[in-house]
């Protein structure tokens, strides 16, 4: 845990019915994978969600209507921030693992594709955020490499039961221009640093450092309602719009 509180936007990625049998008890409810992000302005570039295959998740009632899938730890934090059916307690309908979530079809706010899929990422940390991550491979080096691993390694897809149709149709979406790195900053920086897979943690930390600051201070949006605007300017606007639409909430830890 850091000393400074981290302010995340939780993006509500709706699970599209009919649900698989593992999620059968949730049928008829509004169920969301709850993804924690620091970059709500990048949601135009979503290609999938990430889950940790061996991660332990649960489906929690956050109010009268909505069910969030996330870690128990995040559910308890949310309960103390006003997001639980039972004040200051979690209300878990069913325990799940990441394996149960792989392949779920999702409808995510601002995403270009009608449906995107939950896919395995091996570097998710379960004691940070919600344990669910939304994937923006144009801008996030971790997302770019994890999607690259799935696309380029059939054996990796097979190992986790990932169907080609959940991965192959989803190309990188250019959403932000950074003068030094172009329109697909993550691809450019991962290439420059010769990163080979999602497991190269030190190189990826460097790639994140290079893109994250420059993206915020020098980036310009290429798509959506705020195309042509600076990232710095558009970020709070897009976050507010997502919250007003009921597609996102704020979460801190
Ligand atoms: B970011 P910080 Cl486009 N494990 O969202 C691993 N990574 C996680 C996570 C977890 N449990 N929870 C959140 N994250 C990711 C978008 C994005 C992000 C872009 C560019 C950079 C970026 C799309 N993925 O993060 O350690 C989420 O990915 C660069 C740091 O709390 C979240 O924001 O600082 C970010 O890491 C939170 O990281």
């Amino acid at each position: 845990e850091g000393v400074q509180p981290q302010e995340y936007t939780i993006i509500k990625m709706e699970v599209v019915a009919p649900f698989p049998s593992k999620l059968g008890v949730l049928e008829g409810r509004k169920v969301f994978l709850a993804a924690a992000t620091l970059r709500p302005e990048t949601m135009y570039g979503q290609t999938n969600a990430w889950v940790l295959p061996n991660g332990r998740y649960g489906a929690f009632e956050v109010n009268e209507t909505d069910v969030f899938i996330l870690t128990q730890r995040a559910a308890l934090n949310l309960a103390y921030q006003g997001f639980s059916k039972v004040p200051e307690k979690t209300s878990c309908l069913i325990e799940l693992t990441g394996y149960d979530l792989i392949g779920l079809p999702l409808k995510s706010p601002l995403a270009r594709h009608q449906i995107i899929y939950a896919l395995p990422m091996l570097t998710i940390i379960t004691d940070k955020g919600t344990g669910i991550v939304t994937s923006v491979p144009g801008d996030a080096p971790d997302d770019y490499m994890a999607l690259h691993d799935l696309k380029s390694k059939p054996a990796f897809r097979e190992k986790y039961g990932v169907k080609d149709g959940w991965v192959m149709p989803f190309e990188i979406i250019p959403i932000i221009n950074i003068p030094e790195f172009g329109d697909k900053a993550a691809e450019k920086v991962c290439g420059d640093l010769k990163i080979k897979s999602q497991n190269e943690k030190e190189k990826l930390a460097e790639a994140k450092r290079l893109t994250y600051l420059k993206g915020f201070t020098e980036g310009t949006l290429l798509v959506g309602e705020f195309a042509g605007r600076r990232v710095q300017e558009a970020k709070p606007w897009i976050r507010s719009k997502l919250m007003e639409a009921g597609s996102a909430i704020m979460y801190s830890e």
Side-chain angles (χ1 to χ4, degrees), residues 149-170:
D149 286 346
L150 278 172
K151 283 199 180 219
S152 60
K153 297 166 188 167
F156 185 43
R157 295 199 295 277
E158 198 174 336
K159 176 169 181 194
Y160 291 100
V162 171
K163 294 190 179 151
D164 290 6
W166 302 343
V167 176
M168 302 317 250
F170 299 91

Side-chain angles (χ1 to χ4, degrees), residues 11 42-43 58 66 74 103 106 113 137 140 144 161 165 168-169 175 190 192-193 203 205 210 219 225 236-237 243 251:
I11 303 295
T42 66
M43 296 300 104
D66 294 354
L106 307 167
H113 297 276
Y144 173 77
M168 302 317 250
I175 50 159
C190 289
D192 288 352
L193 296 178
K203 283 189 177 182
L210 285 169
E225 192 181 343
W237 296 339
M243 291 176 65
Y251 165 65

Side-chain angles (χ1 to χ4, degrees), residues 18-166:
F19 298 160
S21 56
K22 274 275 187 180
L23 274 67
V25 297
L26 305 176
E27 202 67 64
R29 306 243 192 183
K30 281 181 100 55
V31 180
F32 304 87
L33 292 198
T37 181
L38 299 174
R39 303 286 310 277
E41 75 282 8
T42 66
M43 296 300 104
Y44 302 101
Q46 294 173 93
T47 56
N48 62 280
W50 297 120
V51 300
L52 181 69
N54 281 316
R56 294 157 64 87
Y57 298 91
F60 297 89
E61 294 179 292
V62 292
N63 54 35
E64 291 302 318
T65 56
D66 294 354
V67 174
F68 280 9
I69 295 177
L70 34 52
T71 58
Q72 160 74 36
R73 177 191 153 281
L76 187 57
N77 286 336
L78 275 177
Y80 281 102
Q81 294 170 36
F83 296 102
S84 181
K85 193 173 173 186
V86 188
E88 300 186 1
K89 285 196 166 61
T90 59
S91 172
C92 185
L93 296 171
I94 182 180
E95 291 180 6
L96 298 161
T97 70
Y99 283 106
D100 301 327
L101 307 177
I102 292 171
L104 284 183
L106 307 167
K107 234 171 62 184
S108 196
L110 301 182
R112 177 178 297 178
H113 297 276
Q114 289 283 346
I115 302 279
I116 56 180
Y117 295 90
L119 301 174
M121 176 188 253
L122 305 178
T123 58
I124 288 181
I125 298 160
T126 48
D127 57 10
K128 179 165 95 176
T130 57
I132 308 275
V133 179
T134 187
S135 171
V136 182
D139 243 59
D142 287 325
D143 300 346
Y144 173 77
M145 286 315 304
L147 190 61
H148 179 269
D149 286 346
L150 278 172
K151 283 199 180 219
S152 60
K153 297 166 188 167
F156 185 43
R157 295 199 295 277
E158 198 174 336
K159 176 169 181 194
Y160 291 100
V162 171
K163 294 190 179 151
D164 290 6
W166 302 343

